[in-house]
Each structure stands twice: as structure tokens, then as C-alpha cells.
Amino acid sequence: MAKRPLTLIARRAPYGGDGARQTLDIAFAAAVFERDVRYLFIGDGVYQLLRGQDTAGIAAKPHVAALETLELYGIETVYVLKSALNERGIEPSELALAATLVDEAQLQTLIEGGGPIINL
Amino acid sequence: MADSAQPALRYLVIVNAAPQSSEAALSAYRFATALLDQGHSIEQLFFYGDGAHNASAVTVMPQDEPNLPALWHALIEEHAITSTACVSSAIRRGIVDETESNRHELNAITCYPSSEIGGLGQLIAALDSAERVISFG
């Protein structure tokens, strides 16, 4: 039986807490164990995807640089809630990763698609 | 026992909050206790991020406040639960077993023996065997 995909919901901004990194580490581990990952970015989670993050002043590694390695792990697209971008004044062109923009109904379909969900 | 209308389910419980700074870890403990009371089982308990503090054997609480790590330890032993503290989370927070203590030359063991220090692979493996996943914090 094929393994069910793992759905990860990233809803936190990249810095100020470790939720963003924790979710990403689970994505890497899942990929290493050859499980399909659906990576959804909603709410403040969309800030994780902004290109040009400069963390020189905050003793942190740029989160987006780690996200950009997802492709090497076979996670080639991420799903981004369109309204979360609009609410924050972010254009899709400002995102560093190949992103599939989804509306609320499509997000619901992805979440309901079966398989476990981890939402940190 | 499980309600006859509801089959017993195997849970993966992820605890991502420290015992002292929010209610989330206590809620996780109460949830775990309730599901065991109702005949369900915990396939894997996983302490992640700040949740690693729940495996600390050196936490001292005032007498009139719950010592959640001690409560978890008792629950894990009583029900023979597979409990893991994420290694990268744990060692950053000073939660080490004998192996990690020796590896990093720390001269202290601070993790309850009821929880092992392990990797995220444990979490991913439990996704296949658990029928429900719930995270706190």
C-alpha cells in the first residue's frame, strides 16, 4: 500500500519562534523516508517564503535558504493560500519558491485529501 | 474501555510545548490520560522543540504545582508507551541520556529513562502505524 501523503501546515512567521524550522525539519525527515509531503503555507507562514531574507542582525540562519533546498528532497512545489498573501500585501513574485496558489476551497480539498496532518 | 460504538484507536501524540510556560503540555497530558482511560492507545509519544522539557528528570516544581515531567514519566511507565524526545531539540535544552552525555562530555544525565532520545525518523515511522495524529503547542 502506498504511504499516505503527509500534510504540513506552516502558519508561523520564520523568526521569533522555532515553529517554522520545526515544520521544515519534519518535511526533510519525511522526504528522506520517501513519503510524499504536501507543504501548505497559510497565515503568517507565508512570510517564510519571502526572498531576500537578511538575518545578519538576529543570530539566525535565513529560513528561506533552507526552504529552497526542499526541491533537492523532491518537494518541488509548495501550496500558498492566496488570501494570506493579499492580506499581507505580498505579491507572488516576491516568493522565493515555486508556489501553487490556492483559495480556501482548494486548501480544504488538500487538507481533506487523506493522510496525517501536522500543524505546528 | 472504549465505547463499543467507537473502535480503539492508536494515537501519535506530539508535544511541542514546555511544561512551565503554557497550558499546552498539561493539556497534552490530560488528553493522553483520557484517551488511555477510554481504551485507546498511544503508538508514539513525541516530545519536540520546547516539548523536550517534558522528559527532564531534573525539573523541580513548587509542591503545590504539578510536576509534569514526573507525571509523564509515571504515565509512560504504567502504560509502556514508546516515548521519544527529539535529539536535536533535547540536546539544545540540556536534556541528555547517557549516550548523549558521553558524546558531548557533559557529566550529567537529565532525561528520564522512560523516554529515549531519538530522531525525527521515529515520528515519521509512527505516521504509518498511528491512526490519529494530534499535536499540542
Side-chain angles (χ1 to χ4, degrees):
Chain A
M1 193 178 78
K3 289 178 183 169
R4 298 173 302 165
L6 169 64
T7 300
L8 296 173
I9 301 179
R11 60 188 164 88
R12 297 188 199 272
Y15 312 105
D18 55 6
R21 180 70 214 194
Q22 287 176 334
T23 305
L24 180 59
D25 284 343
I26 292 175
F28 289 144
V32 167
F33 285 86
E34 298 180 338
R35 178 182 282 276
D36 286 340
V37 173
R38 284 182 190 158
Y39 210 148
L40 318 183
F41 290 80
I42 67 172
D44 282 347
V46 298
Y47 287 123
Q48 297 180 28
L49 297 165
L50 283 175
R51 62 169 88 242
Q53 295 173 26
D54 179 1
T55 57
I58 58 169
K61 294 174 231 175
H63 186 67
V64 71
L67 281 173
E68 283 175 313
T69 66
L70 280 173
E71 201 179 349
L72 303 174
Y73 287 80
I75 301 171
E76 282 162 7
T77 188
V78 298
Y79 299 89
V80 178
L81 184 61
K82 242 181 294 185
S83 62
L85 293 179
N86 294 341
E87 286 161 7
R88 289 162 182 79
I90 299 171
E91 296 292 333
S93 60
E94 295 177 79
L95 304 181
L97 275 71
T100 303
L101 301 186
V102 297
D103 60 23
E104 274 75 1
Q106 291 167 316
L107 181 75
Q108 188 175 349
T109 304
L110 285 169
I111 290 173
E112 288 176 348
I117 298 164
I118 295 181
N119 174 15
L120 294 178
Chain B
M1 294 301 292
D3 188 312
S4 58
Q6 291 184 324
L9 295 169
R10 297 188 303 274
Y11 278 77
L12 162 61
V13 179
I14 304 170
V15 185
N16 197 33
Q20 301 88 353
S21 48
S22 77
E23 198 180 343
L26 182 60
S27 297
Y29 174 77
R30 290 189 166 145
F31 180 84
T33 306
L35 74 86
L36 292 166
D37 282 348
Q38 293 189 18
H40 304 295
S41 60
I42 297 177
E43 182 75 17
Q44 170 78 55
L45 175 62
F46 197 84
F47 295 131
Y48 194 33
D50 278 346
H53 288 295
N54 290 278
S56 167
V58 294
T59 297
V60 179
M61 297 295 290
Q63 281 193 351
D64 57 352
E65 294 178 32
N67 185 324
L68 209 41
L71 291 170
W72 278 121
H73 173 62
L75 190 74
I76 292 163
E77 297 254 288
E78 182 186 347
H79 294 273
I81 295 166
T82 302
S83 174
T84 304
C86 167
V87 59
S88 64
S89 304
I91 64 174
R92 283 165 202 243
R93 292 167 176 82
I95 312 296
V96 291
D97 60 5
E98 188 175 1
T99 305
E100 294 302 325
S101 180
N102 291 339
R103 192 196 314 272
H104 302 285
E105 299 176 8
L106 296 176
N107 198 29
I109 294 170
T110 54
C111 185
Y112 269 119
S114 52
S115 291
E116 62 164 359
I117 306 271
L120 279 169
Q122 289 278 114
L123 177 73
I124 302 301
L127 293 174
D128 285 323
S129 41
E131 295 157 301
R132 292 288 185 275
V133 180
I134 187 162
S135 59
F136 291 85

Short mmCIF file of all heavy atoms in Angstrom, two decimals, chain A residues 86-120:
data_model
loop_
_atom_site.label_atom_id
_atom_site.label_comp_id
_atom_site.label_asym_id
_atom_site.label_seq_id
_atom_site.Cartn_x
_atom_site.Cartn_y
_atom_site.Cartn_z
N ASN A 86 -2.52 38.26 0.02
CA ASN A 86 -3.24 39.52 -0.18
C ASN A 86 -3.34 40.32 1.11
O ASN A 86 -3.11 41.53 1.14
CB ASN A 86 -4.66 39.25 -0.72
CG ASN A 86 -4.62 38.64 -2.11
OD1 ASN A 86 -3.61 38.75 -2.81
ND2 ASN A 86 -5.70 38.00 -2.51
N GLU A 87 -3.68 39.61 2.19
CA GLU A 87 -3.87 40.30 3.48
C GLU A 87 -2.58 40.96 3.95
O GLU A 87 -2.60 41.92 4.74
CB GLU A 87 -4.31 39.29 4.56
CG GLU A 87 -5.76 38.85 4.41
CD GLU A 87 -6.04 37.55 5.16
OE1 GLU A 87 -5.15 37.07 5.90
OE2 GLU A 87 -7.16 37.02 4.99
N ARG A 88 -1.44 40.44 3.50
CA ARG A 88 -0.14 40.96 3.94
C ARG A 88 0.55 41.80 2.88
O ARG A 88 1.72 42.17 3.04
CB ARG A 88 0.75 39.78 4.39
CG ARG A 88 0.25 39.18 5.68
CD ARG A 88 0.79 37.80 5.95
NE ARG A 88 0.22 37.30 7.20
CZ ARG A 88 -1.02 36.78 7.29
NH1 ARG A 88 -1.77 36.68 6.21
NH2 ARG A 88 -1.48 36.37 8.46
N GLY A 89 -0.15 42.06 1.78
CA GLY A 89 0.42 42.90 0.73
C GLY A 89 1.62 42.27 0.04
O GLY A 89 2.53 42.97 -0.39
N ILE A 90 1.64 40.94 -0.05
CA ILE A 90 2.75 40.24 -0.69
C ILE A 90 2.33 39.79 -2.09
O ILE A 90 1.25 39.19 -2.26
CB ILE A 90 3.18 39.01 0.15
CG1 ILE A 90 3.64 39.45 1.55
CG2 ILE A 90 4.29 38.23 -0.55
CD1 ILE A 90 3.88 38.29 2.52
N GLU A 91 3.16 40.10 -3.08
CA GLU A 91 2.92 39.64 -4.45
C GLU A 91 3.55 38.26 -4.62
O GLU A 91 4.63 38.00 -4.07
CB GLU A 91 3.56 40.60 -5.45
CG GLU A 91 3.00 42.01 -5.45
CD GLU A 91 1.57 42.07 -5.95
OE1 GLU A 91 1.19 41.19 -6.76
OE2 GLU A 91 0.83 42.97 -5.52
N PRO A 92 2.91 37.40 -5.43
CA PRO A 92 3.51 36.08 -5.67
C PRO A 92 4.94 36.18 -6.21
O PRO A 92 5.77 35.30 -5.93
CB PRO A 92 2.58 35.46 -6.72
CG PRO A 92 1.26 36.13 -6.49
CD PRO A 92 1.58 37.53 -6.04
N SER A 93 5.25 37.26 -6.92
CA SER A 93 6.61 37.41 -7.48
C SER A 93 7.66 37.62 -6.39
O SER A 93 8.86 37.50 -6.63
CB SER A 93 6.64 38.59 -8.45
OG SER A 93 6.29 39.79 -7.76
N GLU A 94 7.21 37.93 -5.17
CA GLU A 94 8.17 38.12 -4.06
C GLU A 94 8.55 36.80 -3.39
O GLU A 94 9.37 36.79 -2.47
CB GLU A 94 7.56 39.06 -3.00
CG GLU A 94 7.32 40.49 -3.50
CD GLU A 94 6.65 41.33 -2.43
OE1 GLU A 94 7.37 41.77 -1.52
OE2 GLU A 94 5.41 41.51 -2.48
N LEU A 95 7.92 35.71 -3.81
CA LEU A 95 8.19 34.42 -3.17
C LEU A 95 9.41 33.76 -3.81
O LEU A 95 9.59 33.80 -5.03
CB LEU A 95 6.97 33.50 -3.29
CG LEU A 95 5.66 34.06 -2.74
CD1 LEU A 95 4.54 33.04 -2.88
CD2 LEU A 95 5.81 34.49 -1.28
N ALA A 96 10.22 33.13 -3.00
CA ALA A 96 11.48 32.55 -3.48
C ALA A 96 11.28 31.15 -4.06
O ALA A 96 12.16 30.65 -4.75
CB ALA A 96 12.49 32.50 -2.33
N LEU A 97 10.15 30.50 -3.76
CA LEU A 97 9.96 29.12 -4.20
C LEU A 97 8.83 29.02 -5.22
O LEU A 97 7.94 29.87 -5.25
CB LEU A 97 9.57 28.23 -3.00
CG LEU A 97 10.69 27.64 -2.15
CD1 LEU A 97 11.36 28.73 -1.34
CD2 LEU A 97 10.16 26.55 -1.24
N ALA A 98 8.89 27.97 -6.02
CA ALA A 98 7.77 27.67 -6.90
C ALA A 98 6.57 27.34 -6.02
O ALA A 98 6.60 26.41 -5.24
CB ALA A 98 8.11 26.47 -7.79
N ALA A 99 5.52 28.16 -6.16
CA ALA A 99 4.37 28.00 -5.27
C ALA A 99 3.10 27.84 -6.09
O ALA A 99 2.92 28.51 -7.10
CB ALA A 99 4.26 29.21 -4.35
N THR A 100 2.25 26.94 -5.65
CA THR A 100 0.92 26.81 -6.23
C THR A 100 -0.03 27.61 -5.36
O THR A 100 -0.18 27.30 -4.17
CB THR A 100 0.50 25.33 -6.26
OG1 THR A 100 1.48 24.58 -6.98
CG2 THR A 100 -0.87 25.16 -6.91
N LEU A 101 -0.62 28.66 -5.92
CA LEU A 101 -1.53 29.48 -5.14
C LEU A 101 -2.89 28.81 -5.08
O LEU A 101 -3.40 28.32 -6.08
CB LEU A 101 -1.66 30.87 -5.77
CG LEU A 101 -0.37 31.67 -5.91
CD1 LEU A 101 -0.67 33.09 -6.41
CD2 LEU A 101 0.38 31.76 -4.58
N VAL A 102 -3.46 28.77 -3.90
CA VAL A 102 -4.76 28.11 -3.74
C VAL A 102 -5.72 29.04 -2.99
O VAL A 102 -5.30 29.91 -2.23
CB VAL A 102 -4.63 26.77 -2.96
CG1 VAL A 102 -3.78 25.78 -3.73
CG2 VAL A 102 -4.04 26.99 -1.56
N ASP A 103 -7.02 28.84 -3.25
CA ASP A 103 -8.01 29.58 -2.47
C ASP A 103 -8.47 28.67 -1.30
O ASP A 103 -8.00 27.55 -1.16
CB ASP A 103 -9.18 30.05 -3.35
CG ASP A 103 -9.92 28.89 -4.01
OD1 ASP A 103 -9.84 27.75 -3.50
OD2 ASP A 103 -10.56 29.10 -5.05
N GLU A 104 -9.41 29.18 -0.52
CA GLU A 104 -9.82 28.44 0.68
C GLU A 104 -10.40 27.06 0.34
O GLU A 104 -10.14 26.08 1.03
CB GLU A 104 -10.82 29.25 1.51
CG GLU A 104 -10.21 30.23 2.48
CD GLU A 104 -9.65 31.50 1.82
OE1 GLU A 104 -9.76 31.64 0.58
OE2 GLU A 104 -9.09 32.34 2.55
N ALA A 105 -11.19 27.01 -0.74
CA ALA A 105 -11.83 25.74 -1.09
C ALA A 105 -10.78 24.71 -1.51
O ALA A 105 -10.85 23.53 -1.15
CB ALA A 105 -12.84 25.96 -2.22
N GLN A 106 -9.79 25.18 -2.27
CA GLN A 106 -8.71 24.26 -2.70
C GLN A 106 -7.87 23.80 -1.50
O GLN A 106 -7.43 22.66 -1.43
CB GLN A 106 -7.83 24.95 -3.75
CG GLN A 106 -8.54 25.17 -5.07
CD GLN A 106 -7.79 26.13 -5.98
OE1 GLN A 106 -7.29 27.17 -5.55
NE2 GLN A 106 -7.70 25.78 -7.24
N LEU A 107 -7.66 24.73 -0.58
CA LEU A 107 -6.91 24.39 0.65
C LEU A 107 -7.64 23.29 1.41
O LEU A 107 -7.05 22.31 1.88
CB LEU A 107 -6.76 25.63 1.52
CG LEU A 107 -5.97 25.44 2.82
CD1 LEU A 107 -4.49 25.33 2.54
CD2 LEU A 107 -6.22 26.59 3.79
N GLN A 108 -8.95 23.45 1.49
CA GLN A 108 -9.77 22.47 2.20
C GLN A 108 -9.65 21.10 1.53
O GLN A 108 -9.51 20.08 2.20
CB GLN A 108 -11.23 22.93 2.22
CG GLN A 108 -12.12 22.08 3.08
CD GLN A 108 -13.53 22.63 3.18
OE1 GLN A 108 -13.80 23.75 2.77
NE2 GLN A 108 -14.42 21.83 3.71
N THR A 109 -9.68 21.10 0.20
CA THR A 109 -9.56 19.83 -0.53
C THR A 109 -8.21 19.17 -0.24
O THR A 109 -8.13 17.95 -0.04
CB THR A 109 -9.70 20.08 -2.05
OG1 THR A 109 -10.94 20.75 -2.28
CG2 THR A 109 -9.68 18.78 -2.83
N LEU A 110 -7.14 19.98 -0.21
CA LEU A 110 -5.81 19.44 0.07
C LEU A 110 -5.76 18.83 1.47
O LEU A 110 -5.23 17.74 1.68
CB LEU A 110 -4.76 20.54 -0.04
CG LEU A 110 -4.38 20.99 -1.45
CD1 LEU A 110 -3.54 22.27 -1.39
CD2 LEU A 110 -3.62 19.89 -2.18
N ILE A 111 -6.33 19.55 2.43
CA ILE A 111 -6.28 19.09 3.82
C ILE A 111 -7.11 17.83 4.00
O ILE A 111 -6.74 16.92 4.75
CB ILE A 111 -6.73 20.21 4.78
CG1 ILE A 111 -5.67 21.32 4.79
CG2 ILE A 111 -6.96 19.68 6.18
CD1 ILE A 111 -6.07 22.55 5.57
N GLU A 112 -8.22 17.76 3.26
CA GLU A 112 -9.11 16.61 3.40
C GLU A 112 -8.67 15.43 2.55
O GLU A 112 -9.32 14.39 2.55
CB GLU A 112 -10.54 17.01 3.01
CG GLU A 112 -11.19 17.91 4.04
CD GLU A 112 -12.57 18.38 3.61
OE1 GLU A 112 -12.93 18.20 2.43
OE2 GLU A 112 -13.28 18.93 4.46
N GLY A 113 -7.54 15.59 1.85
CA GLY A 113 -7.12 14.57 0.89
C GLY A 113 -6.65 13.26 1.51
O GLY A 113 -6.17 12.39 0.80
N GLY A 114 -6.78 13.13 2.81
CA GLY A 114 -6.35 11.88 3.44
C GLY A 114 -4.93 12.00 3.92
O GLY A 114 -4.17 12.85 3.46
N GLY A 115 -4.55 11.15 4.84
CA GLY A 115 -3.20 11.18 5.36
C GLY A 115 -3.10 12.07 6.56
O GLY A 115 -3.97 12.90 6.82
N PRO A 116 -2.02 11.88 7.31
CA PRO A 116 -1.84 12.65 8.53
C PRO A 116 -1.53 14.12 8.25
O PRO A 116 -1.01 14.46 7.19
CB PRO A 116 -0.66 11.96 9.21
CG PRO A 116 0.06 11.24 8.11
CD PRO A 116 -0.96 10.90 7.07
N ILE A 117 -1.85 14.95 9.23
CA ILE A 117 -1.60 16.39 9.14
C ILE A 117 -0.80 16.79 10.37
O ILE A 117 -1.14 16.39 11.49
CB ILE A 117 -2.94 17.16 9.14
CG1 ILE A 117 -3.77 16.76 7.91
CG2 ILE A 117 -2.70 18.67 9.16
CD1 ILE A 117 -5.23 17.16 8.02
N ILE A 118 0.25 17.56 10.16
CA ILE A 118 0.99 18.11 11.30
C ILE A 118 0.99 19.62 11.16
O ILE A 118 1.34 20.17 10.11
CB ILE A 118 2.42 17.54 11.40
CG1 ILE A 118 2.35 16.04 11.69
CG2 ILE A 118 3.20 18.24 12.51
CD1 ILE A 118 3.70 15.36 11.83
N ASN A 119 0.58 20.26 12.21
CA ASN A 119 0.31 21.69 12.22
C ASN A 119 0.97 22.26 13.46
O ASN A 119 0.42 22.19 14.55
CB ASN A 119 -1.22 21.85 12.25
CG ASN A 119 -1.67 23.25 12.40
OD1 ASN A 119 -0.90 24.19 12.22
ND2 ASN A 119 -2.94 23.42 12.74
N LEU A 120 2.20 22.73 13.31
CA LEU A 120 2.93 23.21 14.49
C LEU A 120 2.96 24.74 14.53
O LEU A 120 3.00 25.38 13.52
CB LEU A 120 4.36 22.69 14.50
CG LEU A 120 4.51 21.17 14.66
CD1 LEU A 120 5.98 20.79 14.61
CD2 LEU A 120 3.91 20.71 15.98
#
